[in-house]
Each structure stands twice: as structure tokens, then as C-alpha cells.
Amino acid sequence: MDVPKLLSIFILLAHLSVILLTNNINGVEASHKVFPELQSVSAVKVKHLHRTGYHFQPPKHWINGPMYFNGVYHLFYQYNPKGAVWGNIVWAHSVSKDLINWEALEPAIYPSKPFDIKGCWSGSATILPGNKPVILYTGLDSKERQLQNYAVPANLSDPYLRKWIKPDNNPVVFPAGVNASAFRDPTTAWWGHDGVWRMLVGSRRKHRGIAYLYRSSDFMKWTKAKHPIHSVANTGMWECPDFYPVSVSGKLGLDTSFSGENVKHVLKVSLDITRYEYYTIGTYFRDQDKYVPDENSVDGWNGLRYDYGNFYASKSFFDSAKNRRILWGWANESDSRDDDIEKGWAGIQTIPREVWLDPSGKQLVQWPIEELESLRNNKVQMRNRQLKLGDHVEVKGITAAQADVEVTFKLHSLDKAEKFDPRWAKLDAEHLCGRMGSKVQGGVGPFGLLTLASKNLEEFTPVFFRIFKLSENNKHKVLFCSDARSSSLKKELYKPSFAGFVDVDLTHDMKLSLRSLIDNSVVESFGAGGKTCITSRVYPTLAIQNDAHLYVFNNGSGIITVENLNAWSMKKPAKMN
């Protein structure tokens, strides 16, 4: 990304950025602007009102944000040690044994050499033969050219890899024949059968997004391939590319260099123009070093997304300890720069997610890592509770501002599903949710959860489903929304109606599941077992701490049954920096 972003060391390094209200495509933009008068304004007092309880954050100031190596998870993240806006950036470093409890170490990397004197930007890490980690990252030199550099641990015997060095033979990749101002974010490298390493670097040429391919036999001298591994017209700059294999059967993850049978590949890019991420599933032709998305995998702005909300600059990594691929992303702030300064902090990491290929082969599925369940406390249940039109029933007995909720809704009939207007096909899910939110009565839905709700519903963030009937073949279309428009009485906020469609067949099993991780100013939601995910950042003024409530609701004329609901209060990790 075009600010010093998270280093992604074999596992994700997410990027956290200060958010400004703007008029760009999705209404919010990660600011790359330096504010000299503000970047060193230290937080005199950190406000805890909207700070998360179990999502990763340092004690104060501005961050962005991990690697698994010898039994330890490493999280490297952009951090301003002097203030709550972007500036004074160093690569902070925290370590964990379980991805939940974190211990802060001294900063690992900071601009110090001619090849990165104006910035150490994002990258990835690869484990070389001999169990030696190497970081590839983008540096900005004095001419503001984007260069690809590497760093290595100063002491491999240190289990925490506290110190890193940047050898003087950097940079290892110059922007020869490419746009030097749009050439960043090298991926985790993979090893080919020919004994050659390969990695990708994100770029653009005019309006075409590009993932350039580089090869090296020694990891020091890299040569650009004649053709990019993939590119798409009219998509703009490709930031934070990620490229990895997934098994066509089962949930087990694969090492990035895996090349066996029954494998598909995923190419994910973060689009600088939209500030959203898109991925395709396809085939990697190794002999040609070419990636081709599957015929049914939309390649571009209308394609699949990991998350349809506040989620950007993600990175996946293979966790060899548990044979799983883990995805970690950054959830930016949706308030103003002045709000961040007043709070004394900005930016969080989403909960790490396990990711695998859906049995259909058409999309990925995501689910919070199992370690998160160690923070559950005070379980409450609801069984076979019918919800009629207008009902909202409180889920009592938990701390609703900091909770984990899993619920299965049973549909009694699809006969009352509203007809899907063909004209809506031109609208994306977010616009449809904005038009038909939780307050608009429907047939089958809207139904779901009212999270971070005030007692009298002056404030609430609804997470819900709404089902439409298509004209052909008696099929249905499922809309999944996380609508922040009623989340806060405060006016100067970005409050979008995030949404995505869910690819499910309700013909035989008329049930829909929902899981929401609620944490003071963030609601991470997983629809239909993680087929569609949405993260929302919200800032209630009434529904805070012990005054927050949680409800199940139905605003459709068709009866919905809460077949099974389990909810827990969530404890804070024992260690969080």
C-alpha cells in the first residue's frame, strides 16, 4: 500500500490507517497524508469508551496489523509511537502463543537506509530452507521510488526474533520497466519444481491493475517475467496482492509452495480506488506462470470479497502448527481524524479467521479461529422462540457490548418472499440494503440481530437477512446486511449499509445461521457459516458498556423461529500488549 503498511511476515500483516470522511467510492478513505502538526500529539489520556476488549490494539496511538515461526506467532504492524494519526511510523512487533494473548516487544523495523529512508511499506515473509525467515518489503527511497527490499533476523536463536537487519545489498528489485510510484507489496514467495522462487508485486499501468511476477534462484537476485501472472483492465492500483493454494476438498490449509493435485489457487487484491478487496478462484498454470480465474469467478469490482464491510489490506498465511490457512485483516476507523486524536488511538485488527474452499468450489468460507472460544464466559441460550412481525426479543444475561453470538434461524415458509425486481440487478447488495433496511417491512425478513442497541432503540446496528424470490425456477436470493445508519446518534460519522449476497439453496433446508462478534465499536458477522462476512465499525453514544442491549428481531410478515441461539460474554485477553 502507498503508506508504510504492515509487514506481512508469513502470516498477515494488516494495515491500519486513519480515516477521513471523503467523497470517494465507498465514502471512506485511508489517509496517506502526513499531518506534521498532529502526528506527534501524544495522547494525554486514552479514552476507553469505544476501545475494543478482545480485538488487537496497542495501549494507545495509531496502528495498523502477524508470522508463525518456531511455535510463536509474530505480529508486525505500523505504529505511530507519538500520536493517533499517521506519521512517525515504525514497525511495532508483538508476539503470541495463541493469536489471542499478545506481548509487545521493541519496534522491529524503521526507515534507516537509503533504500527505505522515506518509508518502510508493506510486504510478506517466506521461510527459506534451513528454517530461516526472510522478509520482503517495499521501501521508498529519497527519489520516492518504490523498491523491493529484504530483512533477516539478527539472531535466529532468539525465539521472539526481536531484532531485524536490512543488509546493504538492498534493494533486490528495482522498478525497471514499471511505474515506480505504483510498485509495492511483495507477496509470500513460493518454491517451484524447477528450483526457482517466485513472488508477486502489485502495480498498475494507467487504469489496469497488475500483479507482476518475479523469479529468483537464490532469493537475492530477482528477474521480472515477460508477462504478469494476471492483470485486469479498469481496476486501478492493485495493493497487497495475496496468492495461495487451497484444497478442493476439506478445510485443511496448504503451504504456499504446495503443488499437488486437487488444488485451486486464490488471487486476492486490495483495490486502492474502492478501498475494498476482491478475490478470484482459478487455476495456476505452473509451466506458463499464468493464473486464470474460473469461468464463474467474476474478475473485477463486482467479484467476490472476503468481507463486505470495513476490511482492507488483508494477508493470509499457512499455520503449520495446525495445518490451516489463516486470514487477518485491518478494520479502519469510521470517525474523523479529530475524533481519533481525542480518543488517543486509531485502528484495530479483525479476529484471525480460518479460510478454506467451499465444497461448491465457487467461493471461500471463513470462520473465527477456535482459540477465540477461550474468551467465552457466562453462556446464555434461547431455543425454539417464534418471532412474528415486529417482534424483538432481548438476549439477557451477557455483556451485550462485548459478546459472541451464534444463532440459527428456521424459516417456516418461503411463500411470502418478495419478488426480486429485475431492475435491482443493476444495484449492488449495499445499495439494496440501503433501500430496504431493517426498518422496511418485508415478507421473509428482515430478521436477525439488533446489536449494540440502546434500551429504547434510539441506537442499534442491525445484522440481518432478507429473502427475495427470483422469477426463474422458483429460486431465491438471500441478502445479508450490517447496517450502521442507526448505529449512533452522533452525526459526523461514516455510517454505511454494508451488505453482500449469500449463495445458499433454501429449497430443502430452510435455515440460515449467523455469528456476530460484538466488541464495543466493531461488529464482525459471519452469515451462513461464513459464506458471507461483514465487519462494521460503529460508535454508539447510548448503547455503550452496561447500557448496550442485544435483541433478536423479525420485521417480515412470515414467521421466523430462533431454533438455537448461544451467546457468551467475552473476556479480555490476559495479555494485550
Side-chain angles (χ1 to χ4, degrees):
M1 301 183 60
D2 48 347
V3 300
K5 293 179 314 195
L6 275 192
L7 141 78
S8 102
I9 193 162
F10 197 47
I11 150 174
L12 154 76
L13 271 169
H15 155 76
L16 295 183
S17 174
V18 178
I19 299 307
L20 300 179
L21 301 182
T22 68
N23 293 321
N24 80 327
I25 285 181
N26 62 9
V28 63
E29 179 179 50
S31 171
H32 303 154
K33 184 178 179 180
V34 178
F35 300 93
E37 74 281 12
L38 300 174
Q39 65 183 19
S40 298
V41 177
S42 181
V44 176
K45 184 178 180 181
V46 174
K47 290 194 173 183
H48 291 268
L49 180 62
H50 293 117
R51 278 185 67 83
T52 57
Y54 58 95
H55 285 71
F56 181 86
Q57 294 185 263
K60 61 182 179 179
H61 296 155
W62 183 92
I63 81 156
N64 302 49
M67 151 184 125
Y68 181 75
F69 182 72
N70 287 352
V72 178
Y73 295 97
H74 296 257
L75 177 62
F76 299 85
Y77 50 96
Q78 289 186 79
Y79 179 55
N80 180 353
K82 298 182 179 181
V85 303
W86 191 90
N88 306 309
I89 297 301
V90 301
W91 274 1
H93 184 191
S94 294
V95 293
S96 172
K97 295 293 184 67
D98 59 5
L99 289 170
I100 299 296
N101 295 278
W102 293 93
E103 178 183 349
L105 305 178
E106 291 299 312
I109 299 178
Y110 49 87
S112 62
K113 300 277 190 171
F115 47 79
D116 66 7
I117 196 64
K118 286 201 170 183
C120 298
W121 295 2
S122 191
S124 301
T126 304
I127 308 299
L128 300 186
N131 202 30
K132 298 177 180 179
V134 176
I135 296 169
L136 291 170
Y137 71 97
T138 300
L140 194 68
D141 69 4
S142 60
K143 298 179 181 179
E144 299 194 351
R145 296 177 300 178
Q146 295 172 20
L147 315 170
Q148 312 314 316
N149 306 308
Y150 79 102
V152 295
N155 181 8
L156 279 173
S157 64
D158 176 7
Y160 287 171
L161 304 178
R162 290 175 175 86
K163 295 186 181 298
W164 290 76
I165 58 176
K166 299 174 286 187
D168 289 334
N169 64 330
N170 276 302
V172 291
V173 178
F174 283 93
V178 303
N179 184 347
S181 65
F183 181 61
R184 51 189 179 266
D185 308 343
T187 65
T188 298
W190 67 95
W191 179 257
H193 284 312
D194 55 1
V196 174
W197 289 99
R198 291 162 173 81
M199 61 97 171
L200 306 179
V201 180
S203 187
R204 67 173 171 82
R205 186 169 58 241
K206 295 184 178 180
H207 301 296
R208 175 176 287 273
I210 298 173
Y212 285 117
L213 175 74
Y214 286 80
R215 304 185 183 101
S216 175
S217 58
D218 61 2
F219 221 83
M220 295 293 106
K221 298 178 181 178
W222 293 86
T223 303
K224 185 166 72 74
K226 183 177 180 180
H227 301 289
I229 196 169
H230 192 55
S231 69
V232 178
N234 300 316
T235 52
M237 176 67 201
W238 282 7
E239 296 190 305
C240 302
D242 199 11
F243 187 62
Y244 57 90
V246 288
S247 172
V248 298
S249 60
K251 297 182 179 180
L252 291 182
L254 301 174
D255 181 84
T256 307
S257 296
F258 183 85
S259 60
E261 297 181 352
N262 300 317
V263 167
K264 286 286 187 180
H265 270 75
V266 175
L267 176 62
K268 185 276 305 185
V269 294
S270 304
L271 296 193
D272 188 38
I273 296 177
T274 65
R275 308 307 289 183
Y276 290 144
E277 300 195 309
Y278 302 82
Y279 75 87
T280 55
I281 296 168
T283 301
Y284 171 41
F285 295 94
R286 296 179 182 275
D287 293 341
Q288 305 171 45
D289 273 329
K290 183 179 181 180
Y291 170 76
V292 179
D294 289 347
E295 186 176 352
N296 61 359
S297 196
V298 177
D299 201 3
W301 289 16
N302 295 319
L304 294 167
R305 287 162 51 186
Y306 285 149
D307 192 296
Y308 291 82
N310 277 13
F311 190 92
Y312 194 72
S314 69
K315 185 71 169 67
S316 74
F317 74 102
F318 175 63
D319 180 1
S320 58
K322 294 191 174 183
N323 289 320
R324 58 185 176 175
R325 181 158 289 271
I326 292 179
L327 173 70
W328 197 323
W330 155 61
N332 53 10
E333 300 297 316
S334 293
D335 55 5
S336 70
R337 183 181 69 250
D338 291 339
D339 289 328
D340 294 336
I341 295 170
E342 184 179 357
K343 291 186 315 214
W345 56 272
I348 67 168
Q349 293 305 124
T350 58
I351 295 299
R353 306 171 180 182
E354 189 172 355
V355 60
W356 65 91
L357 186 65
D358 183 73
S360 69
K362 295 188 295 183
Q363 68 166 97
L364 297 174
V365 178
Q366 302 163 69
W367 199 248
I369 57 170
E370 61 183 0
E371 289 88 339
L372 181 67
E373 297 173 15
S374 66
L375 299 179
R376 288 173 169 176
N377 195 24
N378 299 330
K379 180 180 179 180
V380 298
Q381 297 178 301
M382 184 183 294
R383 299 285 183 272
N384 298 317
R385 180 63 182 260
Q386 280 197 355
L387 300 177
K388 298 179 181 179
L389 174 64
D391 284 348
H392 64 281
V393 178
E394 185 167 6
V395 179
K396 297 182 178 181
I398 60 169
T399 54
Q402 197 169 301
D404 183 356
V405 188
E406 293 190 72
V407 57
T408 299
F409 296 100
K410 181 179 179 180
L411 319 178
H412 290 255
S413 172
L414 295 173
D415 293 342
K416 294 185 178 181
E418 304 154 85
K419 290 185 178 180
F420 189 81
D421 191 324
R423 293 173 296 181
W424 296 345
K426 297 181 180 180
L427 302 176
D428 59 24
E430 185 171 317
H431 283 92
L432 187 56
C433 178
R435 175 178 292 191
M436 307 185 76
S438 64
K439 298 178 183 179
V440 178
Q441 179 184 332
V444 184
F447 62 87
L449 299 174
L450 302 180
T451 72
L452 295 175
S454 58
K455 183 177 181 180
N456 297 316
L457 297 184
E458 299 95 337
E459 294 178 335
F460 61 93
T461 300
V463 184
F464 62 92
F465 298 101
R466 192 181 194 114
I467 300 171
F468 300 92
K469 182 185 299 182
L470 299 175
S471 57
E472 69 275 11
N473 301 324
N474 198 33
K475 291 185 177 181
H476 296 83
K477 199 171 187 70
V478 179
L479 180 69
F480 180 46
C481 298
S482 181
D483 192 347
R485 289 177 297 173
S486 55
S487 63
S488 178
L489 295 178
K490 188 174 181 179
K491 302 296 184 182
E492 300 80 16
L493 298 173
Y494 173 50
K495 297 187 284 188
S497 51
F498 287 134
F501 292 110
V502 188
D503 186 10
V504 291
D505 185 357
L506 299 174
T507 306
H508 302 293
D509 186 10
M510 294 197 299
K511 297 179 182 180
L512 282 169
S513 68
L514 169 61
R515 182 178 183 183
S516 286
L517 305 177
I518 306 161
D519 197 2
N520 295 306
S521 65
V522 60
V523 181
E524 281 190 74
S525 298
F526 302 80
K531 282 193 168 187
T532 302
C533 307
I534 306 176
T535 299
S536 290
R537 297 299 311 279
V538 294
Y539 309 88
T541 62
L542 301 176
I544 57 175
Q545 300 172 351
N546 293 331
D547 291 324
H549 299 263
L550 173 68
Y551 301 91
V552 288
F553 83 99
N554 177 26
N555 198 20
S557 57
I559 295 175
I560 301 295
T561 295
V562 177
E563 183 178 74
N564 186 25
L565 181 147
N566 297 311
W568 298 264
S569 299
M570 293 296 281
K571 299 178 293 185
K572 292 184 177 182
K575 289 184 179 181
M576 183 59 78
N577 287 291

Coordinates of all heavy atoms in Angstrom, one line a residue, residues 294-327:
D294 N -11.5 -19.1 -12.7 CA -12.5 -20.0 -13.2 C -13.6 -19.1 -14.0 O -13.8 -18.0 -13.7 CB -13.2 -20.7 -12.0 CG -12.3 -21.8 -11.4 OD1 -11.2 -22.1 -12.1 OD2 -12.6 -22.3 -10.3
E295 N -14.2 -19.8 -14.8 CA -15.2 -19.2 -15.7 C -16.3 -18.5 -14.9 O -16.8 -17.4 -15.3 CB -15.9 -20.2 -16.7 CG -16.8 -19.6 -17.7 CD -17.3 -20.6 -18.7 OE1 -16.8 -21.7 -18.7 OE2 -18.2 -20.2 -19.5
N296 N -16.7 -19.1 -13.7 CA -17.8 -18.5 -12.9 C -17.2 -17.6 -11.8 O -18.0 -17.1 -10.9 CB -18.6 -19.6 -12.3 CG -17.8 -20.5 -11.4 OD1 -16.6 -20.3 -11.2 ND2 -18.5 -21.5 -10.8
S297 N -15.9 -17.2 -11.9 CA -15.4 -16.4 -10.8 C -15.2 -15.0 -11.4 O -14.3 -14.7 -12.2 CB -14.0 -16.9 -10.4 OG -13.6 -16.3 -9.2
V298 N -16.1 -14.0 -11.0 CA -16.1 -12.7 -11.6 C -14.8 -12.0 -11.2 O -14.3 -11.9 -10.1 CB -17.3 -11.9 -11.1 CG1 -17.2 -10.5 -11.6 CG2 -18.6 -12.6 -11.4
D299 N -14.1 -11.4 -12.3 CA -12.8 -10.8 -12.1 C -12.9 -9.3 -12.2 O -12.9 -8.7 -13.2 CB -11.9 -11.3 -13.2 CG -10.4 -11.2 -12.9 OD1 -10.1 -10.8 -11.8 OD2 -9.6 -11.6 -13.8
G300 N -13.0 -8.6 -11.0 CA -13.1 -7.2 -11.0 C -14.0 -6.7 -9.9 O -14.2 -7.4 -8.9
W301 N -14.4 -5.5 -10.0 CA -15.2 -4.8 -9.0 C -16.4 -5.5 -8.5 O -16.8 -5.3 -7.4 CB -15.5 -3.4 -9.4 CG -14.4 -2.4 -9.5 CD1 -13.1 -2.8 -9.6 CD2 -14.4 -1.0 -9.5 NE1 -12.3 -1.7 -9.7 CE2 -13.1 -0.6 -9.7 CE3 -15.5 -0.1 -9.5 CZ2 -12.8 0.8 -9.7 CZ3 -15.1 1.3 -9.6 CH2 -13.8 1.7 -9.7
N302 N -17.0 -6.3 -9.3 CA -18.2 -7.0 -9.0 C -18.0 -8.4 -8.5 O -18.9 -9.2 -8.4 CB -19.2 -7.0 -10.2 CG -19.7 -5.7 -10.6 OD1 -20.0 -4.8 -9.7 ND2 -19.7 -5.4 -11.9
G303 N -16.7 -8.7 -8.2 CA -16.3 -10.1 -7.8 C -16.5 -10.3 -6.3 O -17.1 -9.5 -5.6
L304 N -16.0 -11.5 -5.9 CA -16.2 -11.9 -4.5 C -15.3 -11.1 -3.6 O -14.2 -10.6 -4.0 CB -15.8 -13.4 -4.4 CG -16.8 -14.4 -5.1 CD1 -16.1 -15.7 -5.1 CD2 -18.1 -14.4 -4.3
R305 N -15.7 -10.9 -2.4 CA -14.9 -10.2 -1.4 C -14.8 -11.0 -0.1 O -15.7 -11.7 0.2 CB -15.5 -8.8 -1.1 CG -15.4 -7.8 -2.2 CD -16.3 -6.7 -2.1 NE -16.3 -6.0 -0.8 CZ -17.1 -5.0 -0.5 NH1 -18.0 -4.6 -1.3 NH2 -17.1 -4.5 0.7
Y306 N -13.6 -11.0 0.5 CA -13.5 -11.6 1.8 C -14.6 -11.1 2.8 O -15.2 -11.8 3.5 CB -12.2 -11.3 2.5 CG -11.0 -12.0 1.9 CD1 -9.7 -11.4 1.9 CD2 -11.0 -13.3 1.4 CE1 -8.6 -12.0 1.5 CE2 -9.9 -14.0 0.9 CZ -8.7 -13.3 1.0 OH -7.6 -14.0 0.5
D307 N -14.7 -9.8 2.8 CA -15.6 -9.1 3.7 C -16.2 -7.9 3.0 O -15.5 -7.2 2.3 CB -14.7 -8.7 4.9 CG -15.5 -8.2 6.1 OD1 -16.3 -7.2 6.0 OD2 -15.5 -8.8 7.2
Y308 N -17.5 -7.7 3.3 CA -18.2 -6.6 2.6 C -18.3 -5.4 3.4 O -19.2 -4.5 3.1 CB -19.6 -7.1 2.1 CG -19.5 -8.2 1.0 CD1 -19.2 -9.5 1.3 CD2 -19.6 -7.8 -0.3 CE1 -19.1 -10.5 0.3 CE2 -19.5 -8.8 -1.3 CZ -19.2 -10.1 -1.0 OH -19.1 -11.0 -2.0
G309 N -17.5 -5.2 4.4 CA -17.5 -4.1 5.3 C -16.2 -3.4 5.4 O -15.4 -3.3 4.5
N310 N -15.9 -3.0 6.6 CA -14.6 -2.3 7.0 C -13.5 -3.3 7.1 O -13.2 -3.8 8.2 CB -14.7 -1.5 8.3 CG -15.4 -0.2 8.1 OD1 -15.9 0.1 7.1 ND2 -15.3 0.7 9.1
F311 N -12.9 -3.7 6.0 CA -11.9 -4.7 6.0 C -11.0 -4.5 4.8 O -11.5 -4.4 3.6 CB -12.6 -6.1 5.8 CG -11.8 -7.3 6.0 CD1 -11.6 -7.9 7.2 CD2 -11.1 -7.9 4.9 CE1 -10.9 -9.0 7.4 CE2 -10.4 -9.0 5.1 CZ -10.2 -9.6 6.3
Y312 N -9.7 -4.4 5.0 CA -8.8 -4.0 3.9 C -7.4 -4.5 4.2 O -7.0 -4.8 5.4 CB -8.8 -2.5 3.7 CG -8.1 -2.0 2.4 CD1 -8.8 -2.2 1.2 CD2 -6.9 -1.4 2.4 CE1 -8.2 -1.8 0.0 CE2 -6.3 -0.9 1.2 CZ -7.0 -1.2 0.0 OH -6.4 -0.7 -1.2
A313 N -6.5 -4.5 3.2 CA -5.1 -4.8 3.3 C -4.9 -6.1 4.1 O -4.0 -6.2 4.9 CB -4.4 -3.7 4.0
S314 N -5.6 -7.1 3.8 CA -5.5 -8.4 4.5 C -4.4 -9.2 3.9 O -3.8 -9.0 2.9 CB -6.8 -9.2 4.3 OG -7.0 -9.6 2.9
K315 N -4.0 -10.2 4.7 CA -2.9 -11.1 4.3 C -3.2 -12.5 5.0 O -3.6 -12.6 6.1 CB -1.5 -10.6 4.8 CG -0.4 -11.5 4.3 CD -0.2 -11.3 2.8 CE 1.2 -12.0 2.4 NZ 1.2 -13.4 2.5
S316 N -3.0 -13.5 4.2 CA -3.2 -14.9 4.7 C -1.8 -15.5 5.0 O -0.8 -15.1 4.4 CB -4.0 -15.8 3.8 OG -3.2 -16.1 2.6
F317 N -1.8 -16.6 5.8 CA -0.5 -17.3 6.0 C -0.9 -18.8 6.3 O -2.0 -19.0 6.8 CB 0.3 -16.7 7.1 CG -0.2 -17.0 8.5 CD1 0.4 -17.9 9.3 CD2 -1.2 -16.2 9.0 CE1 -0.1 -18.2 10.6 CE2 -1.7 -16.4 10.3 CZ -1.1 -17.4 11.1
F318 N 0.0 -19.7 6.1 CA -0.2 -21.1 6.4 C 0.4 -21.3 7.8 O 1.5 -21.1 8.1 CB 0.6 -22.0 5.4 CG 0.5 -23.4 5.7 CD1 -0.7 -24.1 5.8 CD2 1.6 -24.1 6.0 CE1 -0.8 -25.4 6.1 CE2 1.6 -25.5 6.3 CZ 0.3 -26.1 6.4
D319 N -0.5 -21.7 8.7 CA -0.2 -22.1 10.0 C 0.2 -23.5 10.1 O -0.7 -24.4 10.2 CB -1.3 -21.7 11.0 CG -1.1 -22.0 12.4 OD1 0.1 -22.5 12.7 OD2 -2.0 -21.9 13.3
S320 N 1.5 -23.8 10.1 CA 2.0 -25.2 10.0 C 1.7 -26.0 11.3 O 1.6 -27.2 11.3 CB 3.5 -25.3 9.7 OG 4.2 -24.6 10.7
A321 N 1.5 -25.2 12.4 CA 1.2 -25.9 13.7 C -0.2 -26.6 13.6 O -0.3 -27.7 14.3 CB 1.2 -24.9 14.8
K322 N -1.1 -26.1 12.9 CA -2.5 -26.7 12.9 C -2.9 -26.9 11.5 O -4.1 -27.2 11.3 CB -3.5 -25.8 13.6 CG -3.2 -25.7 15.1 CD -4.3 -25.0 15.9 CE -4.1 -25.0 17.4 NZ -5.2 -24.4 18.2
N323 N -2.0 -26.9 10.5 CA -2.4 -27.1 9.1 C -3.6 -26.4 8.7 O -4.6 -27.0 8.2 CB -2.6 -28.7 8.9 CG -1.3 -29.4 9.0 OD1 -0.2 -28.9 8.5 ND2 -1.3 -30.6 9.6
R324 N -3.6 -25.1 8.8 CA -4.7 -24.3 8.4 C -4.2 -23.0 7.8 O -3.1 -22.6 8.1 CB -5.6 -23.9 9.7 CG -4.8 -23.2 10.8 CD -5.6 -23.0 12.0 NE -4.8 -22.4 13.1 CZ -5.3 -22.0 14.2 NH1 -6.5 -22.1 14.5 NH2 -4.4 -21.4 15.1
R325 N -5.0 -22.4 7.0 CA -4.7 -21.1 6.4 C -5.5 -20.1 7.2 O -6.7 -20.2 7.3 CB -4.9 -21.0 4.9 CG -4.5 -19.6 4.3 CD -4.3 -19.7 2.9 NE -3.1 -20.4 2.5 CZ -1.9 -19.8 2.4 NH1 -1.7 -18.5 2.7 NH2 -0.8 -20.5 2.1
I326 N -4.8 -19.0 7.7 CA -5.4 -18.0 8.5 C -5.3 -16.7 7.8 O -4.3 -16.3 7.2 CB -4.7 -17.9 9.9 CG1 -4.9 -19.2 10.7 CG2 -5.1 -16.7 10.6 CD1 -4.2 -19.2 12.0
L327 N -6.4 -16.0 7.9 CA -6.6 -14.7 7.2 C -6.8 -13.6 8.3 O -7.6 -13.8 9.3 CB -7.8 -14.7 6.3 CG -8.2 -13.4 5.7 CD1 -7.2 -12.9 4.6 CD2 -9.6 -13.5 5.0

